[in-house]
Amino acid sequence: MSDLAIEACNLHKSYRMGKVNLHVLRGVSLGVREGEFVGIVGASGSGKSTLLHLLGLLDRPDEGRLVLHGCDMSRQSHQRRNNIRCHDIGFVFQFYHLLPELSVLENALLPARVGFDGLKWFSQRGRLRMRAIEVLESLELKDRLNHSPKELSGGERQRVAIARALMNRPRILLADEPTGNLDSKTGRQILAVLKKFHQNGQTILMVTHDMALAETCQRVLHMRDGKLG
C-alpha cells in the first residue's frame, strides 16, 4: 500500500478571462508522503494557489489525476468530495477569513458545525466544544476564547485560523502563504506552530513566495509558469 497522502499526475487548469484562455497549470505532478512537510515556492502568478485549490478539492482539474490517501478523486461524487474536504483536509490562508461576528471559540468550531447535521451536532456539541478548546489552548489562546477577531493581533488571528483548520483532525493541512500577512517575527512564530504539529505527525503542504521560509520544510519544490521543477 502506498504511503502517499497526495499523488497528483499531470494536472492542467485553465480559466477563461474574457476572450483569453489563461493556462495556469501545465502538467503538474507531485507526491507528498504521509507525515511529510513540503514547501512549494514560486513568484506570484506562478500557479501555487491554483494547485493548492485543486489538491484541496476546492476546484477540479481540466486534465490529470488526483489521488488522496489512495482514493481517486475523479471517481468520487460531489457529496463524497465535500465530505473528504470537510473532514480530511484543513486549510490555512494568508488573510485568516475569520467571521467577525463570531468569537474565537465559535470560529474554531465552524468546521464541526459544517461537518455534522443538526441532530448529530446537537448530540456531539459538548465533545466538539472541548476539542476546540483543547486545540486553541495548545496554540496559547486559552485567554482569548470569547474575544472577537477584531480584538486579536495578526499572529493570534492566524493561530485561530490554524485551530479552525485542525478542528476535525484532518489528515492533510494545506497552507497558502500562511505568513504572508505578518511581520517577520510573527511569521516565524506561525511557522514554529506548523512545525510543532508536523512533529506530531501532521502532513503539511505549504505554498509561499518566501524561499527562506520554504527551506525550513523537509522538501522544497519550485513552481514557475505553471510547472513544478
Side-chain angles (χ1 to χ4, degrees), residues 68-206:
L68 300 180
H69 293 104
C71 186
D72 189 340
M73 291 299 104
S74 67
R75 299 181 180 180
Q76 308 307 311
S77 67
H78 178 73
Q79 184 60 50
R80 175 62 177 152
R81 284 171 60 92
N82 283 345
N83 287 339
I84 291 171
R85 183 172 63 248
C86 181
H87 293 285
D88 291 347
I89 303 171
F91 297 91
V92 180
F93 300 102
Q94 177 177 351
F95 293 106
Y96 325 132
H97 299 303
L98 302 177
L99 296 185
E101 67 274 18
L102 299 184
S103 69
V104 164
L105 180 57
E106 290 167 336
N107 268 284
L109 273 167
L110 276 176
R113 292 295 300 267
V114 172
F116 294 97
D117 60 32
L119 185 60
K120 190 169 184 180
W121 161 254
F122 184 79
S123 66
Q124 297 289 324
R125 61 182 179 178
R127 178 184 64 81
L128 294 170
R129 186 175 185 276
M130 290 305 298
R131 163 64 182 169
I133 292 172
E134 173 191 331
V135 177
L136 288 165
E137 287 183 348
S138 75
L139 292 167
E140 300 180 1
L141 291 166
K142 180 179 180 179
D143 298 328
R144 296 288 188 269
L145 299 183
N146 296 314
H147 286 61
S148 66
K150 69 181 181 181
E151 297 175 293
L152 306 179
S153 67
E156 288 172 331
R157 293 182 192 184
Q158 191 61 293
R159 279 185 277 150
V160 175
I162 292 172
R164 180 185 59 196
L166 295 171
M167 176 64 203
N168 287 343
R169 293 185 172 88
R171 301 175 73 181
I172 299 169
L173 184 64
L174 302 177
D176 190 357
E177 300 281 5
T179 66
N181 202 36
L182 304 170
D183 61 74
S184 58
K185 180 181 178 180
T186 308
R188 288 193 299 271
Q189 293 170 347
I190 293 301
L191 180 61
V193 167
L194 294 177
K195 291 180 77 68
K196 180 181 74 172
F197 284 102
H198 167 247
Q199 289 166 2
N200 290 329
Q202 181 70 56
T203 303
I204 303 176
L205 181 63
M206 178 179 69

